[in-house]
Structures are given as C-alpha cells and as structure tokens.
C-alpha cells in the first residue's frame, strides 16, 4: 500500500478525484465503487468540476454503491442512495443505466447480494473501489469480526456504527443491519483506495495501518494489498507511528 498525506481535507479530496480522473482517462468504461458519508463529499465535488470542465467523460463508465442501511431507499435522507444521488448523480445527470446500487428493501436480501456479486463479476471486477473508514475500523459495513473473504453480504451493525450513524439522520433512527460489498471485493479491486480526514480518525488509522492484521479491525486488510492507495489529511495521519 502507498500512503499519501495532504495538508488539509480539500487537498486530500482533490487527490482522490485525480485518481478517479486518471482511471477514467485510462479506461473510460471503468467500474468504480463510491462510498457515502462525510469523507467522499469533497472528492465528489472535484470530480463534478472535472466533468463540467470537460477534463473527464462519464458517458461510458459505471458506478456502484458501497453499501446501504437495510430497509432504506432514496426517500430516507440518511440513506447511502440519497447521498449519492444528491451529491453526485443528479448533479451530472448520470444515466440510471450507469448506476448500480443495493436495493436494501428487497424481499430477498441474500438474492440481492448475489445480484450485486454477479454484476461485478460480469464486468470483470471493480476497477477502483473507494472506501472510508469507520471509528471502529470498518470499511463499508464490514464490521469488526467480518471475515476477509466475503463478497456482498448482510451485516449486523456494530454498536459504534449504530451510534455514529445517527449523524446522517435528522431524528433518531433505528439501525440494525447493513448490506455491503465485502472485503474480498476490496482485495480483488484493481485499485483499492481509502480516504480519511480529521483527527477523530487518527487513532483508528494508526491501528489499521500499523497494528496487527486482524478481522477485529477490518481496515487492517489494507496492509495486505500492495495496490492500495491510502489518502489522508494531516489530522487523520497525526497519530501514525511510522509510514507503513
């Protein structure tokens, strides 16, 4: 893995957008996974700017969502789907045929996981998979204890995720399960990317990148991925004991 540290959130976000732009120039029909949450917003804004300026074209690529809260769709403002449409897809009028997201309200969620797995496989795998990191070290909704070799799956949400997840909702919301791409997807992605910012992430970043590789800290899997790109702002990197 390669760790890059930037002065602030905006510079980190621009660097992440540059990776996306480079990928799209090299392979216009790329399959790219975007996360939701606080971390990717700046990156998405820069990608939008690049597209509007004609620096990149998005007409041949395909986007896939990282995860979703079970039982939610775009009508829930805290849903991943609402976030991606509001902050990215709608701003560029991305065609729905280019977008694949989890249906977290499907009657058969295991079948939904298989639909996503099959879609990725038929596309030849993920060209780029971008993730953030949770306060408990999760990637997507791969919670502590999740085996590294899982593809898309249902997850029982960790109490830390349930608590932190409330920030995405205007009122307290019951969160129990998630549906998510798996860590095996990250392992197989041609370019796995982690973005993180803020001092609140500093401790878990150090544990993930310098600690023992263990399912107790899902993000520690990045130490096993030579192609992984780790993009941090100075605050998120402030507790790194050494550059792994």
């Amino acid at each position: 893995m390669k760790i890059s540290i930037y002065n602030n959130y905006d510079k980190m976000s621009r660097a992440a957008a540059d990776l996306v732009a480079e990928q799209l120039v090299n392979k216009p029909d790329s399959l790219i996974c975007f996360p939701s949450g606080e971390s990717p917003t700046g990156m998405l804004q820069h990608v939008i700017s690049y597209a509007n300026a004609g620096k990149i074209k998005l007409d041949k690529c395909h986007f896939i969502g990282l995860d979703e809260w079970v039982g939610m769709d775009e009508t829930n403002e805290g849903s991943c789907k609402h976030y991606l449409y509001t902050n990215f897809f709608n701003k560029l009028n991305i065609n729905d045929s280019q977008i694949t997201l989890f249906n977290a309200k499907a009657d058969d969620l295991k079948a939904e996981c298989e639909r996503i797995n099959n879609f990725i496989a038929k596309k030849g795998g993920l060209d780029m998979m971008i993730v953030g990191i949770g306060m408990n070290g999760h990637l997507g909704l791969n919670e502590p204890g999740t085996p590294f070799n899982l593809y898309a799956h249902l997850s029982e949400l960790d109490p830390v995720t349930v608590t932190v997840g409330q920030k995405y909702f205007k009122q307290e919301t019951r969160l129990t399960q998630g549906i998510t791409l798996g860590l095996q997807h990250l392992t197989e992605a041609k370019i796995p990317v982690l973005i993180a910012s803020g001092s609140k992430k500093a401790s878990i970043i150090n544990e993930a990148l310098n600690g023992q590789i263990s399912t107790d800290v899902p993000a520690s899997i990045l130490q096993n991925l030579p192609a992984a790109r780790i993009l941090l702002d100075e605050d998120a990197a402030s507790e790194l004991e050494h550059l792994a």
Side-chain angles (χ1 to χ4, degrees):
M1 63 180 176
K2 178 182 178 181
I3 300 174
S4 301
I5 301 171
Y6 302 90
N7 291 341
N8 53 49
Y9 172 75
D10 183 66
K11 289 183 178 179
M12 183 273 291
S13 299
R14 182 180 292 273
D18 288 344
L19 286 180
V20 174
E22 182 181 4
Q23 176 63 38
L24 290 171
V25 169
N26 292 336
K27 187 183 179 189
D29 62 345
S30 290
L31 175 59
I32 299 176
C33 170
F34 278 160
S36 57
E38 295 177 328
S39 297
T41 303
M43 173 192 71
L44 296 178
Q45 290 172 345
H46 284 297
V47 172
I48 290 168
S49 295
Y50 292 165
N52 287 336
K55 295 181 179 179
I56 55 175
K57 293 183 178 180
L58 303 176
D59 57 321
K60 295 181 181 179
C61 63
H62 202 102
F63 298 103
I64 190 165
L66 176 60
D67 52 20
E68 187 58 272
W69 310 109
V70 166
M72 295 194 188
D73 59 19
E74 65 276 12
T75 63
N76 299 99
E77 289 191 5
S79 70
C80 305
K81 188 172 185 178
H82 183 274
Y83 171 89
L84 287 172
Y85 268 93
T86 301
N87 290 281
F88 188 69
F89 300 138
N90 287 345
K91 293 183 180 297
L92 291 172
N93 294 316
I94 302 293
N95 194 300
D96 281 341
S97 65
Q98 296 175 258
I99 302 168
T100 298
L101 303 177
F102 282 106
N103 175 8
K105 298 183 78 172
D107 292 334
D108 188 339
L109 291 173
K110 289 185 178 180
E112 178 66 7
C113 290
E114 286 305 305
R115 179 182 74 88
I116 295 294
N117 289 336
N118 291 335
F119 175 81
I120 293 173
K122 288 179 181 178
K123 286 284 188 179
L126 291 162
D127 292 295
M128 179 173 284
M129 181 171 174
I130 304 171
V131 297
I133 184 172
M135 298 298 292
N136 59 1
H138 76 199
L139 301 176
L141 291 174
N142 291 278
E143 301 286 38
T146 301
F148 287 166
N149 63 351
L150 291 186
Y151 289 102
H153 62 97
L154 294 175
S155 65
E156 297 297 325
L157 298 180
D158 185 80
V160 172
T161 301
V162 172
T163 298
V164 174
Q166 297 301 321
K167 67 184 177 183
Y168 301 118
F169 300 90
K170 292 181 179 178
Q171 56 190 22
E172 187 169 346
T173 301
R174 187 170 182 265
L175 303 173
T176 57
Q177 287 185 307
I179 187 168
T180 182
L181 295 187
L183 296 173
Q184 187 64 31
H185 282 126
L186 191 70
T187 298
E188 295 178 5
K190 296 175 183 66
I191 305 178
V193 181
L194 171 71
I195 55 175
S197 66
S199 57
K200 65 184 179 183
K201 297 291 179 69
S203 177
I204 193 62
I205 284 290
N206 182 57
E207 187 175 359
L209 302 185
N210 286 320
Q212 181 179 356
I213 299 173
S214 166
T215 58
D216 291 342
V217 182
S220 66
I221 194 175
L222 291 160
Q223 296 182 49
N224 286 336
L225 308 182
R229 297 292 306 273
I230 316 297
L231 279 59
L232 311 171
D233 68 7
E234 287 186 347
D235 288 339
S238 61
E239 294 187 29
L240 278 177
E241 294 170 1
H242 60 271
L243 294 184

